[in-house]
Every structure is written in C-alpha cells, then in structure tokens.
Amino acid sequence: NPLQQAQATLRVGSLQLAQGDAASALRTFEAALQASEDVELRQAALNGLGDANVMAGHADEAIRDYERAAHLNAATHGGLYAAYHLAWLQLHGGHQEQALAGFQAVRDGTDAELAVEARLAMNFAWIAQEDTDQAAFELDLLGTDHFSAHQAARANYYRALIAQQAGNSTEAAARC
C-alpha cells in the first residue's frame, strides 16, 4: 500500500530528525512528499522538511516548506503546525507584526495544544516589544488549568520577565 509506505517513510524521517541528521531527514521527507497525494501526509512531509531545514540552518527553505504545508489546508493540525513554526521564523527575522498575526491565527484555530503554544509565543513577542500590559492580559486570559508542566514553567518565566520590566525584582525572583 503506497500510503502506508509513505507513512513509514515519514516515521523514518522523524527518527533521523530526532537523531540530529538533518541531511538524511531532508531526503527522507522529500521522498515521502513525492510518494503520496494525501493532503495530511503531504503536510506532514512539508512540515518535516521545514523542521529539517531549520535544523540545517536554512531558514528561507523552511519558510517555503511551512508556507506550502499551510497552503494545503490551514485548518488541519498540519496547517496550524506550519503556521506556528512560520510565525516563529518571522519573529526571529524581525517581522513581529506578521508573526503576531500568525500566532493569533493558530491561537484561534482548532488545535488546543498549539493554541496554548501560540499564546505563549505571543507573550514572548510582546515582552520583547516591551508591551507588558498586553502580555500580562493574554497570560491572565490563558489561565493555567490546562497547561503542561513545560508550558506552566514558560508562563511563569514570562510573568517574571513582566515583573522585572515593571521594576518588581522581588516578584521576578520569586517566580524564577
């Protein structure tokens, strides 16, 4: 079955990426992309190519891959994943407004886990812009009851940065 073979190829690419072998992962994800017309599989392959290109230091190629994945269907998990990683690349490239719009689209999407990640990323961007009021407002809206331990630690760190920027070093230290 060609679809099952392409899915297995995706898993191999993911393992190569996890082992830090970006060059092999790029070849493997490209093979998976060429092996199927299934939209979800193609999105996964394009996202894998984007991730491998990021690892290899090829930001422009990663942007192209994530844009292609999101273009296939922006509402799926693969499309939202692509939009989230594309927004991070935009943020690191100095395109904060574009990045915030991308994070907002992911936040408003159907994937709850990525929505939390997008809100936290938006906080990072606002804190970097010294818009601590917006960052604090968004953190308050987010709450903490559905955070993973890692997400809760990031939210607490952002609250410490907000306190530090407000001149409250005691609260900042208590949150660290």
Side-chain angles (χ1 to χ4, degrees):
N1 178 341
L3 182 59
Q4 288 176 332
Q5 186 170 354
Q7 290 168 335
T9 303
L10 280 177
R11 287 191 292 277
V12 170
S14 295
L15 289 171
Q16 291 166 330
L17 199 56
Q19 293 171 345
D21 188 354
S24 293
L26 284 167
R27 288 189 298 274
T28 302
F29 286 127
E30 185 63 41
L33 179 64
Q34 300 306 319
S36 178
E37 293 300 315
D38 180 78
V39 171
E40 288 184 27
L41 188 132
R42 292 181 64 77
Q43 278 185 317
L46 286 164
N47 284 329
L49 285 167
D51 293 348
N53 273 312
V54 166
M55 182 181 282
H58 305 140
D60 290 341
E61 289 87 351
I63 288 169
R64 182 202 65 218
D65 296 329
Y66 292 136
E67 285 175 340
R68 287 176 62 200
H71 180 73
L72 288 174
N73 187 341
T76 64
H77 171 76
L80 292 167
Y81 178 95
Y84 173 80
H85 287 281
L86 179 59
W88 267 114
L89 289 169
Q90 291 166 335
L91 185 61
H92 287 289
H95 306 286
Q96 292 185 327
E97 294 306 316
Q98 252 184 311
L100 282 169
F103 290 135
Q104 288 168 344
V106 175
R107 176 199 64 194
D108 297 339
T110 58
D111 189 303
E113 180 75 16
L114 281 173
V116 171
E117 291 295 327
R119 283 183 183 264
L120 291 170
M122 290 164 62
N123 272 273
F124 178 84
W126 284 318
I127 290 167
Q129 292 178 338
E130 297 186 12
D131 189 350
T132 55
D133 290 340
Q134 183 64 42
F137 175 75
E138 193 73 28
L139 280 172
D140 290 343
L141 285 179
L142 191 54
T144 59
D145 53 332
H146 54 280
F147 277 8
S148 68
H150 178 73
Q151 291 167 333
R154 284 177 46 213
N156 200 43
Y157 173 72
Y158 294 150
R159 288 189 189 281
L161 289 176
I162 292 167
Q164 186 68 33
Q165 285 185 354
N168 190 342
S169 57
T170 303
E171 181 184 344
R175 291 189 173 278
C176 288

